[in-house]
Tab-separated table of all heavy atoms in Angstrom:
chain	number	residue	atom	x	y	z
A	118	ILE	N	3.719	2.501	-6.621
A	118	ILE	CA	2.329	2.195	-6.288
A	118	ILE	C	1.955	2.813	-5.019
A	118	ILE	O	0.883	3.459	-4.910
A	118	ILE	CB	2.116	0.653	-6.293
A	118	ILE	CG1	2.363	0.076	-7.609
A	118	ILE	CG2	0.689	0.391	-5.702
A	118	ILE	CD1	1.489	0.519	-8.701
A	119	ALA	N	2.804	2.718	-4.008
A	119	ALA	CA	2.579	3.294	-2.673
A	119	ALA	C	3.842	3.391	-1.958
A	119	ALA	O	4.694	2.544	-2.141
A	119	ALA	CB	1.517	2.422	-1.946
A	120	ASN	N	3.889	4.275	-1.002
A	120	ASN	CA	5.073	4.324	-0.115
A	120	ASN	C	4.620	4.897	1.182
A	120	ASN	O	3.591	5.630	1.378
A	120	ASN	CB	6.289	5.091	-0.666
A	120	ASN	CG	5.971	6.508	-1.120
A	120	ASN	OD1	5.417	7.271	-0.354
A	120	ASN	ND2	6.433	6.807	-2.287
A	121	ILE	N	5.407	4.665	2.244
A	121	ILE	CA	5.222	5.224	3.631
A	121	ILE	C	6.473	5.689	4.125
A	121	ILE	O	7.542	4.982	4.062
A	121	ILE	CB	4.575	4.104	4.501
A	121	ILE	CG1	4.224	4.661	5.866
A	121	ILE	CG2	5.392	2.855	4.540
A	121	ILE	CD1	3.359	3.732	6.684
A	122	THR	N	6.404	6.887	4.698
A	122	THR	CA	7.648	7.472	5.262
A	122	THR	C	7.793	7.108	6.650
A	122	THR	O	7.033	6.485	7.265
A	122	THR	CB	7.657	9.054	5.088
A	122	THR	OG1	6.517	9.526	5.922
A	122	THR	CG2	7.435	9.428	3.630
A	123	ARG	N	9.023	7.498	7.220
A	123	ARG	CA	9.362	7.236	8.579
A	123	ARG	C	8.281	7.704	9.531
A	123	ARG	O	8.059	7.048	10.587
A	123	ARG	CB	10.688	7.836	8.910
A	123	ARG	CG	11.227	7.503	10.341
A	123	ARG	CD	12.606	8.167	10.495
A	123	ARG	NE	12.511	9.595	10.355
A	123	ARG	CZ	13.610	10.379	10.276
A	123	ARG	NH1	14.792	9.844	10.282
A	123	ARG	NH2	13.374	11.720	10.138
A	124	ASP	N	7.712	8.880	9.330
A	124	ASP	CA	6.719	9.492	10.182
A	124	ASP	C	5.339	8.954	10.021
A	124	ASP	O	4.358	9.442	10.606
A	124	ASP	CB	6.750	11.009	10.185
A	124	ASP	CG	6.294	11.520	8.830
A	124	ASP	OD1	5.977	10.726	7.901
A	124	ASP	OD2	6.243	12.767	8.673
A	125	GLY	N	5.136	8.020	9.088
A	125	GLY	CA	3.828	7.418	8.802
A	125	GLY	C	3.098	7.980	7.625
A	125	GLY	O	1.934	7.582	7.465
A	126	THR	N	3.617	8.967	6.975
A	126	THR	CA	2.899	9.540	5.864
A	126	THR	C	2.802	8.541	4.673
A	126	THR	O	3.864	7.963	4.320
A	126	THR	CB	3.562	10.854	5.360
A	126	THR	OG1	3.616	11.760	6.499
A	126	THR	CG2	2.796	11.497	4.225
A	127	VAL	N	1.616	8.352	4.204
A	127	VAL	CA	1.486	7.461	3.100
A	127	VAL	C	1.120	8.142	1.785
A	127	VAL	O	0.441	9.200	1.820
A	127	VAL	CB	0.368	6.395	3.392
A	127	VAL	CG1	0.768	5.549	4.575
A	127	VAL	CG2	-0.996	7.024	3.618
A	128	ASN	N	1.483	7.568	0.659
A	128	ASN	CA	1.195	8.095	-0.656
A	128	ASN	C	0.779	6.948	-1.528
A	128	ASN	O	1.364	5.854	-1.484
A	128	ASN	CB	2.414	8.801	-1.234
A	128	ASN	CG	2.834	9.989	-0.386
A	128	ASN	OD1	2.334	11.078	-0.506
A	128	ASN	ND2	3.907	9.799	0.378
A	129	TYR	N	-0.153	7.203	-2.458
A	129	TYR	CA	-0.602	6.184	-3.379
A	129	TYR	C	-0.778	6.762	-4.770
A	129	TYR	O	-1.017	7.930	-4.989
A	129	TYR	CB	-2.076	5.685	-2.959
A	129	TYR	CG	-2.178	5.010	-1.640
A	129	TYR	CD1	-2.472	5.689	-0.510
A	129	TYR	CD2	-1.813	3.669	-1.537
A	129	TYR	CE1	-2.623	5.080	0.772
A	129	TYR	CE2	-1.854	3.080	-0.300
A	129	TYR	CZ	-2.320	3.755	0.838
A	129	TYR	OH	-2.354	3.117	2.026
A	130	ALA	N	-0.429	5.885	-5.703
A	130	ALA	CA	-0.694	6.255	-7.043
A	130	ALA	C	-2.212	6.343	-7.311
A	130	ALA	O	-3.074	5.673	-6.635
A	130	ALA	CB	-0.141	5.119	-8.044
A	131	ASP	N	-2.615	7.300	-8.162
A	131	ASP	CA	-4.023	7.509	-8.417
A	131	ASP	C	-4.813	6.266	-8.751
A	131	ASP	O	-5.956	6.048	-8.408
A	131	ASP	CB	-4.254	8.603	-9.456
A	131	ASP	CG	-3.827	9.978	-9.017
A	131	ASP	OD1	-3.745	10.183	-7.790
A	131	ASP	OD2	-3.625	10.877	-9.826
A	132	SER	N	-4.163	5.330	-9.519
A	132	SER	CA	-4.806	4.154	-10.021
A	132	SER	C	-5.128	3.216	-8.920
A	132	SER	O	-5.986	2.315	-9.187
A	132	SER	CB	-3.906	3.463	-11.053
A	132	SER	OG	-2.730	3.008	-10.477
A	133	VAL	N	-4.621	3.291	-7.738
A	133	VAL	CA	-4.841	2.288	-6.651
A	133	VAL	C	-5.485	2.955	-5.440
A	133	VAL	O	-5.788	2.211	-4.441
A	133	VAL	CB	-3.606	1.527	-6.245
A	133	VAL	CG1	-2.935	0.927	-7.421
A	133	VAL	CG2	-2.578	2.504	-5.522
A	134	LYS	N	-5.731	4.262	-5.419
A	134	LYS	CA	-6.344	4.926	-4.249
A	134	LYS	C	-7.742	4.315	-3.999
A	134	LYS	O	-8.543	4.131	-4.866
A	134	LYS	CB	-6.466	6.444	-4.525
A	134	LYS	CG	-5.161	7.134	-4.443
A	134	LYS	CD	-5.306	8.646	-4.672
A	134	LYS	CE	-3.995	9.384	-4.499
A	134	LYS	NZ	-4.085	10.823	-4.787
A	135	GLY	N	-7.939	4.011	-2.756
A	135	GLY	CA	-9.227	3.445	-2.397
A	135	GLY	C	-9.259	1.930	-2.451
A	135	GLY	O	-10.205	1.337	-1.977
A	136	ARG	N	-8.325	1.346	-3.104
A	136	ARG	CA	-8.243	-0.146	-3.276
A	136	ARG	C	-7.054	-0.747	-2.537
A	136	ARG	O	-7.192	-1.876	-1.990
A	136	ARG	CB	-8.218	-0.482	-4.747
A	136	ARG	CG	-9.414	0.026	-5.528
A	136	ARG	CD	-9.409	-0.568	-6.900
A	136	ARG	NE	-8.213	-0.176	-7.661
A	136	ARG	CZ	-7.344	-0.998	-8.258
A	136	ARG	NH1	-7.456	-2.313	-8.099
A	136	ARG	NH2	-6.312	-0.468	-8.985
A	137	PHE	N	-5.925	-0.083	-2.562
A	137	PHE	CA	-4.738	-0.685	-1.931
A	137	PHE	C	-4.423	0.060	-0.564
A	137	PHE	O	-4.698	1.282	-0.504
A	137	PHE	CB	-3.492	-0.448	-2.887
A	137	PHE	CG	-3.542	-1.357	-4.087
A	137	PHE	CD1	-4.670	-2.072	-4.507
A	137	PHE	CD2	-2.440	-1.522	-4.847
A	137	PHE	CE1	-4.711	-2.849	-5.651
A	137	PHE	CE2	-2.431	-2.243	-5.976
A	137	PHE	CZ	-3.573	-2.955	-6.408
A	138	THR	N	-3.826	-0.630	0.312
A	138	THR	CA	-3.412	-0.021	1.586
A	138	THR	C	-1.983	-0.525	1.908
A	138	THR	O	-1.725	-1.694	1.936
A	138	THR	CB	-4.342	-0.485	2.753
A	138	THR	OG1	-5.680	-0.044	2.451
A	138	THR	CG2	-3.909	0.277	4.024
A	139	ILE	N	-1.058	0.436	2.166
A	139	ILE	CA	0.301	0.085	2.533
A	139	ILE	C	0.347	0.181	4.086
A	139	ILE	O	-0.172	1.050	4.646
A	139	ILE	CB	1.272	0.973	1.851
A	139	ILE	CG1	2.737	0.514	2.124
A	139	ILE	CG2	1.082	2.434	2.288
A	139	ILE	CD1	3.720	1.272	1.306
A	140	SER	N	1.086	-0.712	4.700
A	140	SER	CA	1.256	-0.714	6.088
A	140	SER	C	2.604	-1.392	6.491
A	140	SER	O	3.253	-1.997	5.612
A	140	SER	CB	0.070	-1.366	6.888
A	140	SER	OG	0.042	-2.799	6.481
A	141	ARG	N	2.918	-1.339	7.802
A	141	ARG	CA	4.190	-1.957	8.230
A	141	ARG	C	3.960	-2.372	9.644
A	141	ARG	O	3.199	-1.881	10.406
A	141	ARG	CB	5.396	-1.037	8.141
A	141	ARG	CG	5.187	0.261	8.967
A	141	ARG	CD	6.274	1.263	8.686
A	141	ARG	NE	6.124	2.495	9.467
A	141	ARG	CZ	6.685	3.643	9.180
A	141	ARG	NH1	7.621	3.701	8.214
A	141	ARG	NH2	6.488	4.673	9.976
A	142	ASP	N	4.744	-3.426	10.038
A	142	ASP	CA	4.720	-3.989	11.369
A	142	ASP	C	6.207	-3.940	11.810
A	142	ASP	O	6.938	-4.922	11.446
A	142	ASP	CB	4.171	-5.368	11.419
A	142	ASP	CG	4.002	-5.880	12.853
A	142	ASP	OD1	4.804	-5.487	13.728
A	142	ASP	OD2	3.123	-6.754	13.059
A	143	ASN	N	6.543	-2.988	12.598
A	143	ASN	CA	7.971	-2.849	13.006
A	143	ASN	C	8.447	-4.015	13.796
A	143	ASN	O	9.640	-4.432	13.667
A	143	ASN	CB	8.165	-1.538	13.748
A	143	ASN	CG	7.998	-0.282	12.926
A	143	ASN	OD1	8.134	-0.308	11.714
A	143	ASN	ND2	7.621	0.799	13.557
A	144	ALA	N	7.614	-4.602	14.684
A	144	ALA	CA	7.993	-5.646	15.420
A	144	ALA	C	8.348	-6.904	14.627
A	144	ALA	O	9.178	-7.697	15.082
A	144	ALA	CB	6.952	-5.974	16.434
A	145	LYS	N	7.726	-7.031	13.433
A	145	LYS	CA	8.036	-8.187	12.643
A	145	LYS	C	9.011	-7.879	11.466
A	145	LYS	O	9.273	-8.737	10.680
A	145	LYS	CB	6.658	-8.779	12.049
A	145	LYS	CG	5.732	-9.264	13.048
A	145	LYS	CD	4.461	-9.810	12.433
A	145	LYS	CE	3.529	-10.359	13.472
A	145	LYS	NZ	2.276	-10.909	12.838
A	146	ASN	N	9.392	-6.605	11.411
A	146	ASN	CA	10.331	-6.155	10.306
A	146	ASN	C	9.702	-6.491	8.959
A	146	ASN	O	10.361	-7.000	8.075
A	146	ASN	CB	11.662	-6.782	10.415
A	146	ASN	CG	12.522	-6.202	11.553
A	146	ASN	OD1	12.300	-5.035	11.932
A	146	ASN	ND2	13.542	-6.887	11.933
A	147	THR	N	8.389	-6.215	8.826
A	147	THR	CA	7.676	-6.587	7.678
A	147	THR	C	6.746	-5.479	7.197
A	147	THR	O	6.081	-4.834	8.010
A	147	THR	CB	6.826	-7.855	7.934
A	147	THR	OG1	7.686	-8.932	8.368
A	147	THR	CG2	6.112	-8.340	6.667
A	148	GLY	N	6.736	-5.255	5.876
A	148	GLY	CA	5.794	-4.308	5.275
A	148	GLY	C	4.756	-5.066	4.524
A	148	GLY	O	4.977	-6.198	4.089
A	149	TYR	N	3.640	-4.428	4.316
A	149	TYR	CA	2.522	-5.059	3.574
A	149	TYR	C	1.861	-4.208	2.583
A	149	TYR	O	2.017	-2.966	2.628
A	149	TYR	CB	1.414	-5.483	4.606
A	149	TYR	CG	1.888	-6.328	5.742
A	149	TYR	CD1	2.309	-5.825	6.957
A	149	TYR	CD2	1.985	-7.731	5.605
A	149	TYR	CE1	2.765	-6.615	7.957
A	149	TYR	CE2	2.420	-8.559	6.586
A	149	TYR	CZ	2.785	-8.003	7.795
A	149	TYR	OH	3.239	-8.785	8.840
A	150	LEU	N	1.304	-4.838	1.627
A	150	LEU	CA	0.414	-4.162	0.656
A	150	LEU	C	-0.841	-4.916	0.489
A	150	LEU	O	-0.815	-6.005	-0.123
A	150	LEU	CB	1.102	-3.936	-0.728
A	150	LEU	CG	0.300	-3.114	-1.753
A	150	LEU	CD1	0.169	-1.658	-1.305
A	150	LEU	CD2	0.850	-3.239	-3.147
A	151	GLN	N	-1.915	-4.490	1.080
A	151	GLN	CA	-3.252	-5.058	0.917
A	151	GLN	C	-3.833	-4.551	-0.366
A	151	GLN	O	-4.034	-3.360	-0.472
A	151	GLN	CB	-4.160	-4.711	2.147
A	151	GLN	CG	-5.507	-5.328	2.098
A	151	GLN	CD	-5.582	-6.805	2.124
A	151	GLN	OE1	-4.950	-7.435	3.003
A	151	GLN	NE2	-6.300	-7.442	1.222
A	152	MET	N	-4.247	-5.517	-1.186
A	152	MET	CA	-4.778	-5.153	-2.548
A	152	MET	C	-6.177	-5.682	-2.680
A	152	MET	O	-6.352	-6.939	-2.635
A	152	MET	CB	-3.886	-5.690	-3.667
A	152	MET	CG	-2.372	-5.251	-3.571
A	152	MET	SD	-1.438	-5.736	-5.002
A	152	MET	CE	-1.562	-7.542	-4.820
A	153	ASN	N	-7.150	-4.779	-2.709
A	153	ASN	CA	-8.531	-5.211	-2.909
A	153	ASN	C	-9.071	-4.790	-4.229
A	153	ASN	O	-8.584	-3.898	-4.880
A	153	ASN	CB	-9.374	-4.588	-1.756
A	153	ASN	CG	-8.980	-5.056	-0.402
A	153	ASN	OD1	-8.563	-6.183	-0.184
A	153	ASN	ND2	-9.119	-4.166	0.614
A	154	ASP	N	-10.200	-5.401	-4.599
A	154	ASP	CA	-10.857	-5.080	-5.935
A	154	ASP	C	-9.789	-5.088	-7.025
A	154	ASP	O	-9.739	-4.059	-7.821
A	154	ASP	CB	-11.590	-3.788	-5.775
A	154	ASP	CG	-12.490	-3.515	-6.959
A	154	ASP	OD1	-12.908	-4.443	-7.584
A	154	ASP	OD2	-12.826	-2.327	-7.184
A	155	LEU	N	-9.051	-6.093	-7.242
A	155	LEU	CA	-8.009	-6.115	-8.150
A	155	LEU	C	-8.527	-6.151	-9.609
A	155	LEU	O	-9.636	-6.646	-9.826
A	155	LEU	CB	-7.152	-7.348	-7.981
A	155	LEU	CG	-6.174	-7.322	-6.775
A	155	LEU	CD1	-5.713	-8.668	-6.426
A	155	LEU	CD2	-4.981	-6.404	-7.225
A	156	LYS	N	-7.888	-5.469	-10.484
A	156	LYS	CA	-8.246	-5.340	-11.881
A	156	LYS	C	-7.176	-5.945	-12.727
A	156	LYS	O	-6.031	-6.051	-12.357
A	156	LYS	CB	-8.434	-3.844	-12.192
A	156	LYS	CG	-9.445	-3.118	-11.303
A	156	LYS	CD	-9.530	-1.679	-11.646
A	156	LYS	CE	-10.474	-0.910	-10.758
A	156	LYS	NZ	-11.854	-1.399	-10.803
A	157	PRO	N	-7.534	-6.347	-13.920
A	157	PRO	CA	-6.510	-6.801	-14.899
A	157	PRO	C	-5.262	-5.886	-15.099
A	157	PRO	O	-4.134	-6.373	-15.202
A	157	PRO	CB	-7.210	-7.047	-16.197
A	157	PRO	CG	-8.650	-7.347	-15.754
A	157	PRO	CD	-8.863	-6.446	-14.541
A	158	GLU	N	-5.506	-4.570	-15.006
A	158	GLU	CA	-4.496	-3.653	-15.137
A	158	GLU	C	-3.488	-3.579	-13.989
A	158	GLU	O	-2.411	-3.019	-14.122
A	158	GLU	CB	-5.116	-2.199	-15.249
A	158	GLU	CG	-5.899	-1.969	-16.560
A	158	GLU	CD	-7.298	-2.674	-16.522
A	158	GLU	OE1	-7.798	-2.908	-15.459
A	158	GLU	OE2	-7.823	-2.995	-17.614
A	159	ASP	N	-3.851	-4.342	-12.895
A	159	ASP	CA	-2.931	-4.399	-11.770
A	159	ASP	C	-1.887	-5.496	-11.966
A	159	ASP	O	-0.951	-5.666	-11.125
A	159	ASP	CB	-3.689	-4.706	-10.453
A	159	ASP	CG	-4.598	-3.566	-10.073
A	159	ASP	OD1	-4.193	-2.418	-10.217
A	159	ASP	OD2	-5.727	-3.884	-9.637
A	160	THR	N	-1.995	-6.268	-13.027
A	160	THR	CA	-1.023	-7.344	-13.306
A	160	THR	C	0.370	-6.856	-13.472
A	160	THR	O	0.611	-5.809	-14.123
A	160	THR	CB	-1.431	-8.064	-14.589
A	160	THR	OG1	-2.711	-8.826	-14.366
A	160	THR	CG2	-0.460	-9.137	-14.951
């Protein structure tokens, strides 16, 4: 669906571009995927 490299480069599947955002918080050792405008096909 999405990935982010060590240098911060992000990639998204065409089906989620403009709707999903991948991010990370190094201080919290946590990654995130913000999903907006969800569709049934995202199930």
Side-chain angles (χ1 to χ4, degrees):
I118 297 300
N120 57 48
I121 181 168
T122 63
R123 183 180 58 191
D124 67 357
T126 301
V127 298
N128 299 279
Y129 297 96
D131 289 341
S132 62
V133 305
K134 287 182 178 178
R136 298 189 297 120
F137 291 11
T138 303
I139 187 171
S140 62
R141 62 189 177 193
D142 187 331
N143 292 335
K145 297 181 179 180
N146 285 340
T147 303
Y149 303 95
L150 184 69
Q151 178 67 47
M152 306 186 296
N153 298 325
D154 192 23
L155 284 162
K156 305 177 183 298
E158 293 75 25
D159 296 320
T160 294

